[in-house]
Amino acid sequence: MVEAGVDIGGSRTTALRQPFQDHSASPYPPQHGGDGAEGRPCDLVTVPARQGLEAVDILRLRDGVGPVLHDGDCDTLGFLVPPGTADGWDLPGSACTQTYGRGLRTSAAEPPVSGTGWLVAPDAAYASATDPAVLRAALGEAARTIEAVDRCR
């Protein structure tokens, strides 16, 4: 069993089971937390903070969140995804930076991008990287949720 705690905005959740993710529909290789993956290269999907925070909540509920960065001003969030994701990423409102081979690697002690901090550190994540297909679905759900909330105002 994996015990992982995530501290977001003062609340803490603890998972006492292995994450389940259906990777059968994903063209990307599966990533698993707790497998010594710290230090692996990764790509970075960047989204506006509001949508990213909604997506983090969705992914946490489904045990699918990997490490997540926030910028110093908390304007954007960055989801660490497997290397090669940038080659096929085309979700409007987000960007995926290809970093494979350029030294961006996960480390619980030090965020891989200067001026950032961990929202979900590698040692508190369910996976060493967020599955891109799962992230895409969560970002879409987050956008629909935000749109619905904004219509109700």
Side-chain angles (χ1 to χ4, degrees):
M1 277 194 200
V2 171
E3 182 173 340
V6 178
D7 186 3
I8 298 176
S11 51
R12 183 169 174 83
T13 61
T14 303
L16 294 173
R17 56 191 166 85
Q18 286 286 359
F20 170 78
Q21 294 181 19
D22 180 6
H23 297 285
S24 60
S26 175
Y28 306 98
Q31 301 290 312
H32 305 284
D35 63 355
E38 188 175 299
R40 280 192 186 167
C42 56
D43 285 355
L44 185 69
V45 172
T46 308
V47 298
R50 186 175 180 203
Q51 183 181 15
L53 289 170
E54 288 288 338
V56 166
D57 285 344
I58 292 164
L59 292 167
R60 284 177 51 220
L61 290 171
R62 297 180 185 148
D63 295 345
V65 69
V68 180
L69 294 166
H70 64 82
D71 66 359
D73 296 331
C74 294
D75 292 330
T76 61
L77 294 184
F79 293 82
L80 275 59
V81 292
T85 300
D87 294 336
W89 192 263
D90 63 353
L91 187 66
S94 67
C96 189
T97 305
Q98 185 176 23
T99 61
Y100 188 66
R102 292 191 298 174
L104 180 60
R105 296 177 181 272
T106 59
S107 167
E110 192 69 32
V113 178
S114 64
T116 66
W118 289 117
L119 180 66
V120 180
D123 60 350
Y126 292 104
S128 60
T130 301
D131 180 288
V134 174
L135 177 58
R136 180 183 300 276
L139 289 170
E141 186 174 337
R144 291 186 298 277
T145 300
I146 291 167
E147 184 179 324
V149 168
D150 288 350
R151 277 195 311 259
C152 292
R153 289 186 178 177

